[in-house]
Amino acid sequence: MSKIISLEKAAELIPDNASVAWSTIGMSFFAEAVAKSVEQRFLETGHPQNLTLIHDCGCGDGKGKGMSHLAYEGLVKRLISGHTGQAPKMANMISEDEIEAYLLPQGVLTTMWRQIAGNKPGVITKIGMGTYVDPLVSGGKVTSLAKEDLVKRISIEEEEWLLYKTFPLDVVVIRATTADEDGNLSVEEEAMLAEILPMAQAVKNRGGIVIAQVKFIAERHSIHPKEVKVPGVLVDYITVAPEEDHMQTIGTTYNPGLAGNSRVPLNAIPPMPFSDRKVIARRAAMELESNVMVNLGIGMPDGVASVAAEEQVTRHFTLTTELGTYGGIPASGPDFGAAWNADAIIEHEAQFDFYDGGGLDIAFLGLAQADQLGNLNVSKFGPKVVGPGGFINISQSAKKVVFCGTLENGAKLSFENGQAKVIQEGKVKKFVQSVDHITFSGAVAQANNKPVLFITERCVLELREEGMVLTEIAPGLDLERDVLSAMAFTPIIAEDLKTMPEEIFQESWGGLEKYIIG
């Protein structure tokens, strides 16, 4: 009997009250056509109802795609996710306290599928201790309707650990490029490998079903066995999507350079315009060293890759992404998660095994809100909840962390002749007395003697044993007027307060290599 079914039939396979997991990395690996069919079925019939939706990465385009298709009262009862900021309709349901919502570390969820497949109790790790996902804080619960404890503290050999418990699983909706007639799946046009194999294994061992969205159908036995990423015996149904509902990334339908099927000249990647963002990326890149393993977060930190490419220094270190890419230049903006000219692409869950074990030498991450204790928040701002993504895993396990962002939101600065000048102050201070949500624990970092830097366009701060220390100031700025007045707390001022290098505040630079080699 053929496994190939229509999109309408695929939507009908999801019953009321089911626990449904979706592969996703923004729009990469997300079965957009299936989600649209589920939405259409619900609007026409009122079914399926009361679903538990699970996905470990952000899922959407920041507008109406992805999980936004399923954000309806009555359709969704519970969300377990690593990030929901790319699906504003779902995020609004959380802000309005309309569903049970748990936002857990991306790396925990992507390694959870193996635990479910292996009939194990869950993921046992120290990732999340001291943050909002610690049960001593909120256990990852982000709405009042979330009552069940999905995270608990346990003791092993007189040492404290977190146990992220497994959960029921009825349907898994995954995506691939090609399926043969037996359901064997290959991913030749995808930008990553994702976690589709352990997801399929997990639901099959729970007695559930696997629905796979693909672009192409191939003849039986025509896919090389080493190219099969999910064996057909694990796939129950296949449905074919139109190209527009099978995006390679949020911003790209298909580019062979992002799939590892071709290489692009690095000079084809346009340099970042000179701005405060470039200044921050340059100063952050000065923390790079030879032969280190590097991770770059989304937003401001991905500028480090652009600067490294422009300065022609990428041969000195290895840039990686949490989605599994090694080498090359991580893509930015709507293509985030993919990489140009990657040397290797491994599975999502395998990358987090390496990260969680301390494999990263340095991580560059976003700076949304920081406080006087060195805590950082990227997951919740007032009623707006987005979740941590891979931030908790990466920031807690990397040997060194560099947080990158402007000192204030909305400020305007000018840079001339190597000097900075504040033209207009921002409306929102990012360095506050106490963060809204603890996504990174300063106390845990201090206890582990982790080097932690906060790099802005106006100054550099370092978390030391004695607290938050201001170590550098931008040339041309007044300490009191331009820096301290823009913060809600007064940091310790280093006795040897330095001036940030004037050359990074100029249009052209060309001086990064000497810092890396030095």
Side-chain angles (χ1 to χ4, degrees):
M1 184 175 65
S2 175
K3 295 183 176 184
I4 303 170
I5 61 173
S6 68
L7 287 163
E8 292 75 17
K9 178 61 177 177
E12 292 171 2
L13 291 169
I14 299 176
D16 292 348
N17 307 307
S19 179
V20 186
W22 301 72
S23 63
T24 181
I25 302 165
M27 292 303 295
S28 304
F29 274 97
F30 182 65
E32 170 77 0
V34 177
K36 288 169 67 175
S37 294
V38 174
E39 177 184 36
Q40 187 64 30
R41 179 190 169 207
F42 177 78
L43 293 175
E44 291 175 355
T45 70
H47 299 279
Q49 298 178 353
N50 300 322
L51 299 184
T52 293
L53 302 175
I54 308 160
H55 58 95
D56 44 46
C57 279
C59 183
D61 63 347
K63 301 174 184 176
K65 294 184 177 181
M67 277 295 124
S68 287
H69 289 301
L70 308 179
Y72 290 95
E73 184 179 356
L75 189 156
V76 56
K77 174 185 177 184
R78 172 183 288 192
L79 177 72
I80 302 172
S81 171
H83 195 274
T84 192
Q86 290 168 319
K89 286 178 62 178
M90 189 69 74
N92 186 63
M93 293 188 79
I94 296 173
S95 298
E96 297 297 323
D97 206 31
E98 295 175 349
I99 59 174
E100 303 171 23
Y102 301 80
L103 294 176
L104 306 178
Q106 175 183 330
V108 169
L109 289 174
T110 196
T111 54
M112 178 68 78
W113 311 117
R114 288 201 308 264
Q115 311 310 310
I116 297 174
N119 196 28
K120 297 171 183 176
V123 176
I124 298 173
T125 179
K126 289 187 179 293
I127 296 298
M129 280 186 156
T131 73
Y132 80 94
V133 299
D134 191 322
L136 296 181
V137 185
S138 72
K141 303 168 186 173
V142 293
T143 61
S144 66
L145 298 176
K147 304 294 186 183
E148 185 178 354
D149 296 325
L150 301 187
V151 191
K152 64 182 295 187
R153 278 197 175 227
I154 61 174
S155 179
I156 301 177
E157 298 290 343
E158 300 181 353
E159 191 174 351
E160 289 285 295
W161 297 80
L162 295 183
L163 168 63
Y164 294 82
K165 298 188 291 185
T166 59
F167 36 73
L169 206 53
D170 302 304
V171 181
V172 158
V173 185
I174 59 177
R175 199 184 94 175
T177 302
T178 303
D180 72 9
E181 293 169 303
D182 289 329
N184 295 297
L185 304 180
S186 62
V187 296
E188 63 272 17
E189 289 192 3
E190 311 299 330
M192 314 91 177
L193 296 183
E195 61 281 6
I196 56 176
L197 174 59
M199 289 182 73
Q201 292 173 324
V203 76
K204 295 304 289 185
N205 278 355
R206 287 293 175 98
I209 63 170
V210 174
I211 302 170
Q213 173 183 306
V214 298
K215 286 177 73 173
F216 310 114
I217 300 294
E219 185 181 15
R220 181 176 287 108
H221 306 311
S222 62
I223 302 176
H224 191 286
K226 287 185 178 179
E227 297 302 317
V228 173
K229 299 308 177 187
V230 180
V233 70
L234 299 179
V235 178
D236 298 287
Y237 303 98
I238 305 159
T239 188
V240 180
E243 186 176 61
E244 64 268 20
D245 291 334
H246 204 96
M247 297 288 288
Q248 187 183 36
T249 68
I250 292 174
T252 301
T253 302
Y254 172 65
N255 187 311
L258 293 176
N261 295 329
S262 69
R263 295 179 66 85
V264 300
L266 288 184
N267 59 14
I269 302 173
M272 182 189 306
F274 182 58
S275 64
D276 53 2
R277 184 173 181 233
K278 191 165 191 174
V279 167
I280 294 167
R282 284 173 170 175
R283 177 59 188 86
M286 288 168 54
E287 297 300 316
L288 290 165
E289 301 175 24
S290 294
N291 303 313
V292 293
M293 194 81 70
V294 184
N295 171 271
L296 302 176
I298 193 169
M300 192 74 71
D302 64 33
V304 174
S306 176
V307 166
E310 183 180 353
E311 296 280 319
Q312 301 180 16
V313 298
T314 56
R315 66 189 182 279
H316 290 296
F317 45 82
T318 301
L319 294 171
T320 71
T321 69
E322 61 265 38
L323 289 315
T325 65
Y326 282 76
I329 302 296
S332 61
D335 293 327
F336 177 80
W340 301 102
N341 299 354
D343 296 322
I345 302 175
I346 70 170
E347 289 79 3
H348 189 191
E349 72 279 5
Q351 186 73 309
F352 271 106
D353 285 338
F354 181 69
Y355 278 11
D356 287 355
L360 276 175
D361 295 300
I362 184 168
F364 297 89
L365 300 169
L367 197 173
Q369 187 185 60
D371 69 19
Q372 58 190 331
L373 300 178
N375 298 317
L376 205 105
N377 169 33
V378 299
S379 50
K380 184 178 186 295
F381 306 93
K384 183 180 179 181
V385 184
V386 296
F391 187 96
I392 295 177
N393 297 82
I394 295 166
S395 64
Q396 191 169 326
S397 60
K399 297 180 180 70
K400 178 178 180 178
V401 184
V402 179
F403 296 117
C404 308
T406 56
L407 191 65
E408 292 183 310
N409 276 335
K412 294 181 180 179
L413 279 77
S414 66
F415 307 104
E416 296 181 7
N417 301 318
Q419 303 290 299
K421 181 179 180 180
V422 179
I423 304 299
Q424 178 181 312
E425 289 292 355
K427 296 181 179 180
V428 179
K429 289 181 169 61
K430 296 171 72 171
F431 286 81
V432 298
Q433 290 282 346
S434 181
V435 294
D436 295 344
H437 225 211
I438 301 177
T439 330
F440 173 81
S441 170
V444 170
Q446 287 171 314
N448 293 327
N449 297 312
K450 183 196 296 289
V452 180
L453 271 68
F454 300 78
I455 294 179
T456 79
E457 81 287 18
R458 303 194 211 183
C459 63
V460 177
L461 296 100
E462 183 178 343
L463 179 61
R464 298 178 179 172
E465 183 179 358
E466 61 269 31
M468 290 281 276
V469 181
L470 195 149
T471 60
E472 299 177 31
I473 184 172
L477 297 188
D478 179 81
L479 178 62
E480 289 287 343
R481 182 192 67 224
D482 299 322
V483 177
L484 298 183
S485 65
M487 304 173 68
F489 66 89
T490 302
I492 301 166
I493 309 300
E495 293 182 2
D496 60 340
L497 180 65
K498 298 179 175 62
T499 301
M500 297 168 71
E502 288 189 10
E503 60 263 31
I504 68 173
F505 290 85
Q506 302 184 55
E507 187 77 29
S508 59
W509 184 24
L512 179 56
E513 189 166 35
K514 70 178 182 181
Y515 288 98
I516 295 173
I517 294 174

